[in-house]
Each structure stands twice: as structure tokens, then as C-alpha cells.
Amino acid sequence: MTMDAAAQGTPVGAPAEAEASVGLPVALPAGLPAGLPAGLPAEAPVGDTVGRALYRPVRRSNALEDTVARIAQTIRLGVVAPGEALPAERMLAELYEVSRDTVREAIRELADTGFLVRRRGRSGGTFVADPLPVPPRPSPADLSELDDVLAMRQVLEAGAARAAASRELTAAEREELWARFEAMTGADLDDYRRLDSLLHLTIAHAAGIPSLVPLIAENRARITAWLDAFPLLTRTIEHSQEQHAHIVQAILTGRPDEAAAAMREHADASAALIRGFVS
């Protein structure tokens, strides 16, 4: 099956109104296990592969700052969705290998800035604010910084796609990758960028190189800050979904060169939009 043919087939989850959601015609790749889930829950719990990769120990020398940054990263990338609860303080302390006092201080900082909400009672806990605060529009990006971050994305994500397509993925890895992609089909525009980040982080995890996931997460967090500076454009999102289909199907059918080429093309399209809006 060619990459052009990969995006043809029966519509999956096509929306009633294109302005409200994103639909994509896509055929099920050969070799996928039967009974794939229709999608994953909106939240990504600690047990999720992406969650496990991002909830990792912080540096002891800057424990508070790193804990604040790490929690903020999980929010910005959508690993914990607006309205969903963070893991318990005790669990975060264990995962980050810091004291519970450090976790409490980090949560307090993010609550004070409107990113988190603390609720008391039986169903209480710490929740991601819904809606999240609207970030200020960034100043025009420095061209050298823009070139650096976008070039790094090309290297990291094209390499991740190639590595994932070169591996013999487990049934669970294949199901999660397809489910992440399928969750974006028909997604509300408001949730698209969060689901987009989760798909790309799942591809990074599928590469089988554990240290690659936090590198891509950090790179995507910087790119997301620029993407948030301009509105979602329905037609470019539809094209992006076609590119996602090419990438995912190339990975699942074991075609490393095509997976890497499709990811480079996808990254180039995003880079063109970012340069147009923020440089």
C-alpha cells in the first residue's frame, strides 16, 4: 500500500460539522490486531506509557523549580487534561523522588497562577484548571532559537518514527498507537493540540529508546508555546491528520524510510505555520 493510498478508505468518526471537529478518511492497516479500542480516556494516568516516561525523578539541586516545571509540562502537553486530577501528592513525591513538602510547594505555585485547582472532601484532590489560563501572546521568536528548536524536532521526531517502524512492536504498543491516532479523528478543535502531543509522545515511546521521550517532550513544549500564539485552522488540521495517518500506518506496517519521510514532511508543514505567525 502506498502512502497516498493509505489515507483512502471508509471515514472513521467523521464529524457532523467540520467547524466543530476534525474527521479523516482512513483505512485500517493490514496486520493490526482485531478489536482495537475506539479511543483512550482523555486523561493519561501514571500507568500510561507516556505518563510513565514524563513522571521521572528531578534534579535534587533544583528540586522545587524542576518539580514545578515537570508538572507544568504535563499540563502543557495535555498528559493530564483540563478538569482531570493530578496523581496524589504521595505518588508524585515518589515518582519525582522529592519530599511531599516540595510537591505541595510546587502545587501551590501552580495553583496561585491559575493552572491548578485544589478541592477538599471525599472526591477532592488537585485538578488541572478548566479552562486553563490564556497564555500571553509571545513576542516574536528569535530566528536562531526558532531554527534550533524546529531543526531539533526534525532530528528527534523523524528518528523516533524510523526507530518505531524498525521495531517489532508488541500488541499493546500497536493498540495504543492506533488508539491515540483514532482519538484525534472527530476530536473537538479545543482538544486537538493536546491529543496531537499525546500521539507524538506515543510514537516517541514506540521507538523503544526511553531517554528519547523526555527530549521530545521538552522540544514539543517549546513548540506548543508558539502554536498557542495562533488559532487552529480547520483545513490545515485536516491535512495534518492525513499526515498522521501516513506516519502511523508506515510505523505499523514496518516501513522505516516512509515513516521518517512522512514525519519530516509533517514537521516541515508545522514549521511553515510557526514561522509565518511568530517570526
Side-chain angles (χ1 to χ4, degrees):
M1 179 169 55
T2 66
M3 286 177 62
D4 287 338
Q8 303 302 316
T10 304
V12 177
E17 296 181 5
E19 296 301 321
S21 56
V22 180
L24 174 67
V26 37
L28 190 70
L32 272 177
L36 286 176
L40 294 182
E43 69 276 8
V46 173
D48 177 87
T49 52
V50 171
R52 287 198 303 271
L54 294 183
Y55 288 110
R56 63 193 192 281
V58 302
R59 297 173 300 174
R60 294 184 182 278
S61 58
N62 296 301
L64 176 59
E65 291 82 0
D66 279 5
T67 302
V68 170
R70 199 66 59 74
I71 296 173
Q73 186 182 66
T74 65
I75 295 170
R76 289 169 62 190
L77 293 176
V79 175
V80 183
E84 298 294 337
L86 289 181
E89 289 180 2
R90 174 187 55 76
M91 184 176 292
L92 287 175
E94 292 175 0
L95 292 166
Y96 293 144
E97 294 185 2
V98 297
S99 68
R100 290 185 67 173
D101 285 343
T102 297
V103 171
R104 289 192 192 101
E105 286 297 320
I107 288 173
R108 187 175 295 116
E109 291 281 0
L110 290 166
D112 288 347
T113 53
F115 286 90
L116 295 175
V117 177
R118 306 193 73 172
R119 299 175 189 162
R120 299 185 181 277
R122 188 172 181 179
S123 59
T126 303
F127 295 80
V128 176
D130 186 10
L132 285 166
V134 177
R137 183 178 178 86
S139 56
D142 177 79
L143 188 59
S144 61
E145 179 190 9
L146 200 62
D147 288 343
D148 179 72
V149 174
L150 295 176
M152 179 64 78
R153 181 189 183 189
Q154 281 274 11
V155 172
L156 293 175
E157 296 212 38
R162 177 184 296 278
S166 300
R167 289 182 62 227
E168 187 69 36
L169 300 181
T170 66
E173 287 173 326
R174 293 166 68 80
E175 288 179 9
E176 182 173 7
L177 178 57
W178 182 257
R180 287 292 187 204
F181 167 72
E182 203 174 41
M184 299 181 69
T185 303
D188 290 340
L189 291 180
D190 289 344
D191 211 25
Y192 182 83
R193 282 184 178 147
R194 183 182 71 83
L195 295 173
D196 181 40
S197 288
L198 291 177
L199 172 63
H200 282 266
L201 291 171
T202 301
I203 292 171
H205 184 271
I209 307 170
S211 60
L212 182 61
V213 181
L215 292 176
I216 287 180
E218 182 177 350
N219 181 262
R220 285 198 64 82
R222 296 176 72 182
I223 288 173
T224 297
W226 290 324
L227 289 173
D228 287 342
F230 58 89
L232 288 161
L233 308 171
T234 302
R235 288 174 180 79
T236 62
I237 289 178
E238 290 172 353
H239 181 232
S240 179
Q241 273 294 79
E242 292 172 3
Q243 293 176 327
H244 285 150
H246 295 161
I247 295 164
V248 170
Q249 292 182 6
I251 291 172
L252 292 175
T253 53
R255 293 173 289 164
D257 289 345
E258 291 188 21
M263 184 65 84
R264 284 194 296 270
E265 181 181 334
H266 178 56
D268 280 344
S270 296
L273 285 173
I274 291 170
R275 291 180 191 282
F277 277 94
V278 305
S279 64

